Amino acid sequence: MGEARSRQPVATPAAETLEAELARIASLSLNEVRTLWREMTQRNAPKALSRDLLARMIAYRVQEQRLGKLSRETRKLLDRLAKGGAEPVRHLKVGTVMVREHQGTLHEVMVVPGGFSWKEKTYPSLSTIARAITGTSWNGPRFFGLRGRSGTDAVVEPVAVMRDQSRASRRSSIRSSGHASQGVGGQP
């Protein structure tokens, strides 16, 4: 009878985690990055590109090989944005609650079919509500933290509303309730 061999996993580049591979690429010297480029593309690296840019391009290709390419829609969106096209329209799900503290008063607005509900009344836009709250003309998405100061969409994380009076007019948050039938704040 033959002796049973214990099999131990062999460490291969394919077994490395993606994060470790990306960290390894980032730590390579210019000559090492160019060598890796040559191995991956079968061509010499363009001399005009910096080490950082070559490393980023290689890292992107590694991610693409392991995770797959970007969807067609995402590529189109990125192309449009790179060419200075219009920003994408933000779609909020029915039931999403936006919370904004302005001058010491907490305002909760829920996305409902056909608009936004604030103080038990439905409004067609966030700008109308922002105008009613402040008494001045405001861009509604900006007022509720959906858009950054430059006009670009901001990533808004659900956060607890803080009652810091010195910054009361700048506090906002968004939370999504599980069901559209729930009331403001996710309460039945």
Side-chain angles (χ1 to χ4, degrees), residues 90 92 96-102 105-111 116-118 123 125-134 138-148 154-157 159 169-175:
R90 178 178 294 274
L92 297 172
T96 300
V97 175
M98 291 164 282
V99 179
R100 176 67 150 89
E101 187 173 16
H102 180 72
T105 304
L106 191 66
H107 300 276
E108 292 187 352
V109 176
M110 179 182 271
V111 179
F116 304 91
S117 176
W118 176 65
Y123 294 83
S125 73
L126 288 173
S127 296
T128 307
I129 297 170
R131 189 176 306 113
I133 291 171
T134 64
W138 264 88
N139 176 297
R142 181 177 294 164
F143 180 80
F144 285 99
L146 299 174
R147 189 173 288 156
V155 176
V156 181
E157 297 291 331
V159 295
S169 66
R170 296 173 58 189
R171 295 284 181 205
S172 65
S173 72
I174 297 177
R175 62 182 179 265

